[in-house]
Amino acid sequence: MAGAGIAILSFGTTVAPLLDIRPWALGDAGGHLVLPQLLADGLRPNIDFAYTYGPATIALNAAWAAVFGNQWQSFFVLFAILHLALATSMVALVYSLRLLPLAAVACLLALLHFLRFEYSISHLAEKILLINAATGISAGRFRVALLLCTASALFRPASGLMAGAILLIGLATQQVRSDGVGIALRSIVRVSLPSASLILVAGIIY
């Protein structure tokens, strides 16, 4: 189960996006500059204007603009930091799996992401968090992995929710087979508590 989960998360966050031509031509370039202006005008996401990403994207976008300025130069620095974090996460995942010969492949994928230089806070944060979730799965830290999937969903709901659901279903299935339904339910509740708390706090703030 862990191996399948790692494979799905790794492919979905590294290889698959590179095969998608749409972000190269379209993407969200410029959206991070418009959002702070809309918020400053008192407009509310999904009430006064359409916004498909999560509250964490709004919070990080607005905070960065408030502290460092709403100019493309300041956001270029943020995107560079996110790309570095993505590259580090990819190499760390390969290393945690003891697949050292594949480290070169991970570095190449990271380089391709740098060449592409994606201008989307939500997409980059999603990839970073899900890759680290895969690293957590490989180490058996399922609570941390689920928490990272939840955090990813707060940036971009679709992939984070799907990854979290797959992880919970896999854990529940494995636990039921080995320990029965009762123990499985208690285990899932313990694993899910930090994630549920994060969702509650985000909901209150949002």
Side-chain angles (χ1 to χ4, degrees):
M1 190 279 295
I6 291 168
I8 292 170
L9 289 179
S10 300
F11 182 83
T13 55
T14 56
V15 179
L18 292 172
L19 303 178
D20 187 359
I21 194 172
R22 291 174 300 168
W24 294 76
L26 303 173
D28 297 317
H32 53 282
L33 299 174
V34 176
L35 179 61
Q37 296 175 9
L38 296 175
L39 296 176
D41 290 338
L43 300 179
R44 296 162 295 176
N46 295 317
I47 297 177
D48 300 312
F49 63 93
Y51 194 77
T52 59
Y53 297 125
T57 301
I58 298 171
L60 178 55
N61 199 150
W64 190 273
V67 174
F68 299 104
N70 191 29
Q71 295 89 27
W72 72 266
Q73 295 93 333
S74 67
F75 276 98
F76 187 87
V77 175
L78 173 59
F79 290 125
I81 293 171
L82 291 174
H83 277 81
L84 281 171
L86 175 62
T88 303
S89 299
M90 292 169 67
V91 175
L93 172 60
V94 172
Y95 186 79
S96 72
L97 296 173
R98 299 296 186 266
L99 300 174
L100 300 185
L102 293 181
V105 177
C107 290
L108 176 60
L109 290 173
L111 176 60
L112 290 174
H113 276 288
F114 270 102
L115 292 175
R116 171 178 167 176
F117 211 88
E118 186 171 4
Y119 292 93
S120 174
I121 294 173
S122 57
H123 285 253
L124 287 168
E126 167 200 47
K127 293 171 187 175
I128 293 165
L129 290 166
L130 290 182
I131 289 173
N132 280 283
T135 304
I137 293 173
S138 71
R141 298 194 298 269
F142 300 116
R143 185 180 301 182
V144 173
L146 183 60
L147 185 61
L148 291 171
C149 289
T150 304
S152 172
L154 294 177
F155 279 95
R156 187 167 179 260
S159 299
L161 290 174
M162 183 180 297
I166 292 172
L167 177 56
L168 280 177
I169 292 170
L171 286 173
T173 302
Q174 187 179 51
Q175 198 82 45
V176 167
R177 287 175 177 173
S178 60
D179 302 313
V181 176
I183 294 177
L185 286 174
R186 289 194 293 272
S187 177
I188 292 300
V189 169
R190 286 197 300 270
V191 169
S192 303
L193 276 177
S195 298
S197 301
L198 179 59
I199 293 172
L200 178 62
V201 171
I204 293 171
I205 294 174
Y206 188 65

